[in-house]
Amino acid sequence: MTRYLYCCRFPLFALFLLMGVPASAWAEPAVPPPVDETSDPDGIHVLDGSCVLNMGELHVNITNHGLIGSQYSMDVPYASAPSGQWPGGSGNEYLWGAGLWVGGRIAGEVSVTTGQLDRELRPGPDLMDTIFEAQNGTIVRPNVFDHATGRRYPDYSADDDHDDQMDEDFLNGRDDDGDGLIDEDFAQLGDQMFVCDMYDDLPLVREMYPDHRPLGLRVRQRAFTWFQSDLENVVGLDFEISNVGIQTIEDVYLGFFADCDIQSRTGGSNEPDDLAGFFDGAVRGENGLFYRAEIAYMHDGAAQNRLPGYFGVMLIEHPTEFIGRDAPFHQEINSFQAFATNASVNQDGEPTNDLDRYALMAQRHQDPNTPVDESSDLKVLISSGPFNHVVPGKTLTYRLALIVGDGMQGMLETAVQAGKTGFGRFFNMDYDWDTGQRGRETKVCLGDYRPWDGGEDPIYGHRLNFMNNDCAGDFPIMFQDMVNDENIEADTDTGKRCVWVNMDNCEECFRIRGEDCNPGMFHSTYMGPAMTGVNGRETRMPWSRYAEIPPPSPGIRVVPGDNQVEVLWDDRSEYAYDTNYYSFGGYGIYDFESYQVWKVHHWTRPAGLNPGATPPAHKWGLIAEFDIENYIEEGVNEASTRLPLGRNTGLDVALYTPGCLSDPRFEGLAEAMQTVVDTDVQNHWISLPSLRQHDGSVTPGMEILVPWESYPDVLDTFFTTTAREAATGVTAKRAVRYYHYIDRESTHNGFQLYYSVVATDHLMWQNDDGNWFPAGSGVSEDPGNNFVSTTPRTDSQTRQQLDDNGRNIYVYPNPATRESLKEYLAQEPTFADPTGVRVTWANLPRAHNTIHIFTESADLVQTIQHDGFSEGGSTSWNLMSRNGQEVTSGIYLYVVKSDGGFPDFQGRFTVIK
């Protein structure tokens, strides 16, 4: 049966208690979000802090109820998650809570919908209104759509479902494009992405905030990050804000609010000592060009133990409204405000009602930077607008980046990378070299511009190379062609008469000079590398990286043993095209080089990290590498015609054959699986579909596999290792290979270890024939982005071992003192692990075991269930009683009851605090 995996579900009454909600009711929304037969009035509020962007070094908690961050000082379930932690794993927080603001007028009445501090954006009532997570183009949770992928241009297979469209299906668990498939082409932004829909016109929102008038919005939020080092300090935010109501919204302003509270969770100062500022200017990139940066930032003003980071909210892009600003990219912050806590609006305090909030968003004002001697508990707000006539059905796109760096200079260096990536790259997506030439990247058609009163179309008043005249002033642009009938041609797709123009000339000029300038001083060809829309590249793809991209990391799992760990991984890294290198045939090339196995041991999590948190980068150590046999070819390195690239170990030395493939219990399964695989002629199945449907009936076509349905892992293995040959009308499916490595160094039983496997590539060189050759070592992913944790353990004891050697169950550490528990890898307590310490039973039977723990007076303290077949011979207890209290000092008795004919075992251990 398909399993729906949600981040968290929270009952409505618990939300009311948590938020202090009044019991008053409000009218139903004019246009509620769609609800189907799976409707759940509680909604899917993600409150457990499990949705954390942690692939980079800036770790940020994401929710679907307006909040970005974890409000880490509050007594709420998600507070233990990283809020805006940098570097990841340090416990140093640079964000307490943030959220989107949208202000506007409906029939003259002002309203502002906020994500923070009020959470006036909430998930809908449908089961699919949760948070979706995707990594590297694959849905991670809820992982119920086997065919769904999110490949994005320039990936040669960006049309995931082969329907001649790209990125047409938003990641939300619904069939948005009506083709019968769900999320089959959802567009991966970054390497890790969280996606959700939120609404401001739900009964819950009206009841919680009775004084707020909803605008009738649906906000589609995509939050994402990257693992590459150039973007590891960036979190991207992409908002699609749609009017789903029945009234036009006038004078819309878009903004973002942030409350930082910069401090360390571990013994740091808790004083209100932040400093706020605003940067608006040019930052020179490593390529010599300038990039516009508008950033509201905060940093620590503590007198002692000051944290070094500068944290900023950077505008990437907002909607454009007027003919002069219809460039393919625009950014402008109208207002920057810094608020003091516990002060009125007149005293520069934060606004608490919609009128005050809208008034501040609409101001064209910039607060001065906070003086060093006036640090305080500050919040900041940026806003842009107004955007008029947001009619029902219209959508505004608002793009931001959360950035951080070491000091002001470090933050600005991060801003360059965020700005370049947010702007994206231009591609020749129509494969027409006549479009996107000489910097003319924008197609403009007669009648496309906004209404005009009589006369000819306003397009005739503009120039081909300088369509945007905002920065021209009164300076005459000499010797430049005006748009005229001679260069307007009929468009083959629409039938309209259109012309290609250079719409972003002002930004191009800025990139060269680092200031707003008069493009009349420059001929278009002078723009050089600042030009967009050259070589046929007419389409801009926001959030597209420029840097070298390593192969995706393989799938990984670990098998703990007695003082050893076996690490296993698949071969998918070897079959991913690198889209930075194109052959003359138009496809990317494979440039896989090696697998690297990394390890972390003896790491104690700082406060504020969940048990599944990523160890910091400096903790990882390389323990093994397996690379293909290849050489640097002649002409690349003049000293040698065949210089080995790497150690050339070959991959076969790590090859692993799953034992189930030759297990007699699964005789006949290979043939049955081949029959199933052969039916998927279009290769839609990324993984084996569920054998049963929601009602328990067998999925059509899966009947042949039912005899083995109690072995789901085995079925998955047989599916991945089964190939299908290509033929007319049949798409090939390759058989997956597996590798392994057994680690026996410093693998002590009971101690938590972390393992990662990443892939590397190599630099490439192209000869005159268009063929690519290795030219040196390339790049790899950060080990922290593809890791699993495990604990080596004793093997479970068989009945024969019991007869031969007797029972040898014991508890360690014993006595469990503060010192011994600390030495036994104690961790900082979290919401999920209140003590952070544990004691462990060893040598448990290979059976289903129940451990009853008692006080000396025979009071039952706790009961632990353990499966000796799948969990080995060890299990742990965190010293929490069944009543949710930490146990006190004393002698504790335990009884191990096992099935399978094992006799009961009794023992004792001591806790000394």
Side-chain angles (χ1 to χ4, degrees):
M1 173 178 278
T2 299
R3 292 171 291 179
Y4 289 81
L5 305 177
Y6 300 107
C7 293
C8 182
R9 295 190 58 201
F10 218 66
L12 191 60
F13 73 89
L15 276 175
F16 287 178
L17 293 176
L18 183 65
M19 302 302 300
V21 178
S24 58
W26 199 265
E28 289 293 323
V31 181
V35 179
D36 61 22
E37 66 275 6
T38 62
S39 177
D40 179 349
D42 290 350
I44 307 295
H45 285 75
V46 178
L47 297 171
D48 62 351
S50 64
C51 296
V52 177
L53 289 168
N54 56 15
M55 271 200 170
E57 283 297 317
L58 177 56
H59 293 185
V60 178
N61 182 55
I62 302 299
T63 76
N64 62 345
H65 43 90
L67 170 67
I68 294 173
S70 69
Q71 299 178 335
Y72 60 86
S73 61
M74 297 284 285
D75 186 16
V76 290
Y78 44 83
S80 62
S83 191
Q85 195 166 125
W86 182 79
S90 67
N92 297 334
E93 297 287 5
Y94 285 82
L95 177 67
W96 186 82
L100 177 73
W101 282 26
V102 183
R105 300 177 185 270
I106 296 180
E109 184 176 343
V110 166
S111 180
V112 179
T113 291
T114 66
Q116 276 293 292
L117 291 166
D118 293 337
R119 289 184 287 166
E120 295 159 346
L121 291 168
R122 297 288 169 140
D126 191 272
L127 287 174
M128 289 293 101
D129 288 319
T130 181
I131 294 182
F132 288 74
E133 180 181 3
Q135 294 185 17
N136 298 315
T138 301
I139 299 176
V140 176
R141 55 179 166 178
N143 192 15
V144 297
F145 312 117
D146 297 327
H147 57 270
T149 51
R151 291 182 289 260
R152 189 166 177 256
Y153 206 84
D155 190 316
Y156 83 100
S157 55
D159 179 11
D160 304 64
D161 53 344
H162 314 295
D163 64 350
D164 296 325
Q165 299 184 65
M166 290 188 294
D167 309 339
E168 75 273 13
D169 203 357
F170 191 76
L171 180 54
N172 60 0
R174 297 181 173 90
D175 180 14
D176 295 296
D177 54 353
D179 63 355
L181 299 175
I182 295 176
D183 298 344
E184 75 283 355
D185 195 357
F186 61 80
Q188 174 85 50
L189 299 183
D191 298 301
Q192 180 190 21
M193 175 176 71
F194 289 112
V195 181
C196 65
D197 279 344
M198 299 178 289
Y199 303 85
D200 79 334
D201 200 4
L202 298 169
L204 175 61
V205 176
R206 289 176 175 268
E207 188 162 356
M208 294 180 69
Y209 305 102
D211 295 331
H212 166 68
R213 174 179 177 174
L215 289 167
L217 302 177
R218 181 193 67 201
V219 174
R220 291 192 152 172
Q221 173 183 287
R222 292 187 286 187
F224 43 94
T225 190
W226 297 262
F227 63 75
Q228 292 91 350
S229 59
D230 58 323
L231 289 170
E232 64 185 4
N233 296 331
V234 178
V235 165
L237 299 174
D238 199 283
F239 298 103
E240 294 180 8
I241 303 154
S242 300
N243 181 355
V244 296
I246 59 175
Q247 295 179 287
T248 297
I249 311 173
E250 303 285 353
D251 299 328
V252 173
Y253 287 87
L254 304 179
F256 196 79
F257 173 92
D259 181 359
C260 287
D261 285 355
I262 301 172
Q263 63 188 45
S264 172
R265 293 199 188 210
T266 54
S269 171
N270 194 27
E271 297 297 324
D273 51 14
D274 291 346
L275 298 168
F278 185 71
F279 179 89
D280 181 6
V283 184
R284 187 187 291 270
E286 69 281 0
N287 57 3
L289 299 177
F290 292 93
Y291 294 86
R292 191 186 304 272
E294 295 177 276
I295 310 165
Y297 64 88
M298 297 185 74
H299 58 106
D300 193 5
Q304 296 180 338
N305 300 320
R306 181 179 301 172
L307 297 184
Y310 274 51
F311 177 87
V313 179
M314 178 179 179
L315 175 63
I316 298 296
E317 185 174 2
H318 63 61
T320 56
E321 278 293 298
F322 307 106
I323 185 170
R325 290 179 180 168
D326 268 338
F329 177 76
H330 192 73
Q331 56 187 145
E332 181 180 24
I333 292 177
N334 295 341
S335 178
F336 163 73
Q337 313 278 345
F339 311 124
T341 302
N342 300 323
S344 66
V345 174
N346 294 333
Q347 297 174 321
D348 296 327
E350 63 191 77
T352 57
N353 59 64
D354 282 4
L355 284 174
D356 289 340
R357 288 170 177 169
Y358 187 83
L360 288 176
M361 294 184 76
Q363 282 187 4
R364 298 193 68 86
H365 172 78
Q366 177 182 321
D367 277 351
N369 294 351
T370 309
V372 175
D373 59 348
E374 295 183 16
S375 62
S376 179
D377 182 10
L378 301 176
K379 291 92 174 173
V380 294
L381 171 71
I382 60 172
S383 62
S384 300
F387 311 108
N388 300 318
H389 308 296
V390 182
V391 299
K394 184 175 181 179
T395 297
L396 304 178
T397 300
Y398 189 42
R399 297 186 173 106
L400 304 164
L402 306 181
I403 61 175
V404 68
D406 191 350
M408 185 69 168
Q409 183 60 34
M411 184 189 71
L412 293 180
E413 291 172 359
T414 303
V416 169
Q417 302 303 325
K420 288 170 57 178
T421 304
F423 174 84
R425 299 161 63 186
F426 275 83
F427 297 99
N428 184 12
M429 293 182 65
D430 63 0
Y431 301 105
D432 183 352
W433 284 76
D434 291 331
T435 62
Q437 288 289 341
R438 291 176 293 169
R440 301 172 187 172
E441 77 296 311
T442 305
K443 180 170 67 175
V444 177
C445 301
L446 296 182
D448 277 359
Y449 276 131
R450 55 189 69 259
W452 42 278
D453 298 325
E456 64 180 13
D457 193 297
I459 191 176
Y460 291 112
H462 290 264
R463 291 170 170 81
L464 292 171
N465 289 334
F466 300 106
M467 186 69 177
N468 186 351
N469 292 334
D470 280 3
C471 50
D474 297 327
F475 192 92
I477 303 176
M478 305 299 292
F479 311 114
Q480 293 298 323
D481 295 333
M482 299 290 293
V483 177
N484 57 55
D485 287 331
E486 293 182 0
N487 43 51
I488 295 179
E489 298 178 353
D491 182 72
T492 55
D493 295 328
T494 64
K496 294 182 178 181
R497 298 183 66 218
C498 306
V499 62
W500 287 86
V501 300
N502 183 11
M503 188 75 81
D504 64 346
N505 48 277
C506 293
E507 285 300 313
E508 292 172 338
C509 193
F510 181 92
R511 263 177 248 134
I512 291 175
R513 298 187 59 182
E515 60 185 6
D516 290 318
C517 53
N518 187 333
M521 300 178 182
F522 296 91
H523 189 274
S524 62
T525 57
Y526 183 82
M527 299 293 185
M531 291 289 286
T532 59
V534 296
N535 295 329
R537 299 172 182 170
E538 83 298 325
T539 303
R540 182 174 68 92
M541 295 288 291
W543 303 116
S544 297
R545 295 187 68 247
Y546 284 84
E548 179 79 7
I549 301 174
S553 294
I556 176 178
R557 70 183 180 94
V558 292
V559 179
D562 191 0
N563 291 306
Q564 72 172 39
V565 173
E566 185 176 21
V567 185
L568 303 105
W569 65 95
D570 60 32
D571 68 345
R572 70 178 180 184
S573 306
E574 301 166 46
Y575 297 93
Y577 282 119
D578 190 326
T579 55
N580 280 320
Y581 304 121
Y582 279 88
S583 65
F584 285 168
Y587 296 102
I589 65 169
Y590 301 127
D591 69 335
F592 168 84
E593 170 63 23
S594 73
Y595 292 110
Q596 294 180 338
V597 185
W598 297 77
K599 177 182 177 180
V600 170
H601 59 89
H602 300 306
W603 177 56
T604 301
R605 295 188 310 271
L609 287 186
N610 291 331
T614 306
H618 68 274
K619 288 289 186 179
W620 290 98
L622 181 66
I623 59 174
E625 184 171 14
F626 307 97
D627 70 327
I628 61 176
E629 295 185 35
N630 59 350
Y631 300 84
I632 297 178
E633 297 293 336
E634 182 180 6
V636 179
N637 187 307
E638 297 179 357
S640 173
T641 58
R642 286 180 59 82
L643 181 67
L645 182 55
R647 290 180 290 175
N648 283 358
T649 63
L651 301 181
D652 287 349
V653 295
L655 198 62
Y656 169 78
T657 301
C660 64
L661 297 180
S662 57
D663 192 322
R665 291 178 298 172
F666 308 114
E667 184 176 354
L669 178 53
E671 294 77 12
M673 188 62 70
Q674 187 69 63
T675 299
V676 170
V677 168
D678 287 343
T679 63
D680 181 28
V681 294
Q682 297 302 317
N683 202 30
H684 286 308
W685 298 335
I686 297 174
S687 58
L688 180 67
S690 299
L691 264 61
R692 294 189 181 271
Q693 303 183 83
H694 299 305
D695 60 2
S697 63
V698 178
T699 302
M702 297 292 135
E703 296 86 355
I704 196 172
L705 300 180
V706 169
W708 299 279
E709 69 176 321
S710 58
Y711 301 94
D713 292 340
V714 171
L715 288 173
D716 289 341
T717 300
F718 271 83
F719 176 81
T720 58
T721 57
T722 301
R724 180 181 56 250
E725 296 293 332
T728 303
V730 176
T731 303
K733 174 185 178 295
R734 68 176 183 85
V736 175
R737 300 205 314 173
Y738 294 96
Y739 305 96
H740 74 144
Y741 174 77
I742 299 177
D743 178 33
R744 296 185 177 91
E745 296 294 328
S746 301
T747 52
H748 305 300
N749 288 342
F751 286 82
Q752 189 172 24
L753 303 172
Y754 301 82
Y755 290 91
S756 173
V757 181
V758 297
T760 74
D761 64 4
H762 31 62
L763 298 177
M764 300 296 290
W765 167 79
Q766 189 177 32
N767 65 14
D768 294 337
D769 296 330
N771 297 314
W772 292 95
F773 298 95
S777 300
V779 294
S780 65
E781 188 174 344
D782 188 321
N785 297 328
N786 188 49
F787 78 95
V788 291
S789 63
T790 190
T791 303
R793 62 202 182 193
T794 58
D795 295 329
S796 55
Q797 191 177 47
T798 66
R799 185 55 194 261
Q800 184 63 49
Q801 290 171 330
L802 171 65
D803 295 339
D804 294 343
N805 305 317
R807 302 298 293 271
N808 187 29
I809 298 175
Y810 61 93
V811 175
Y812 64 95
N814 186 13
T817 65
R818 290 183 179 180
E819 291 75 16
S820 65
L821 289 172
K822 184 176 182 180
E823 289 178 1
Y824 186 45
L825 206 62
Q827 300 287 352
E828 289 285 342
T830 67
F831 183 80
D833 184 13
T835 66
V837 298
R838 65 191 187 278
V839 295
T840 297
W841 279 260
N843 295 327
L844 292 168
R846 187 166 299 174
H848 295 289
N849 306 302
T850 301
I851 304 174
H852 299 287
I853 306 168
F854 303 91
T855 64
E856 278 192 300
S857 57
D859 293 325
L860 179 62
V861 177
Q862 186 59 275
T863 300
I864 300 173
Q865 300 294 333
H866 171 259
D867 185 353
F869 296 101
S870 62
E871 300 175 9
S874 299
T875 191
S876 297
W877 177 42
N878 64 355
L879 303 185
M880 292 291 292
S881 74
R882 60 195 178 110
N883 297 322
Q885 296 177 321
E886 191 172 355
V887 300
T888 59
S889 298
I891 297 175
Y892 291 86
L893 313 177
Y894 64 89
V895 177
V896 180
K897 293 182 174 294
S898 310
D899 61 12
F902 287 89
D904 293 350
F905 182 87
Q906 301 178 8
R908 67 176 60 197
F909 62 95
T910 304
V911 176
I912 302 175
K913 295 186 176 182

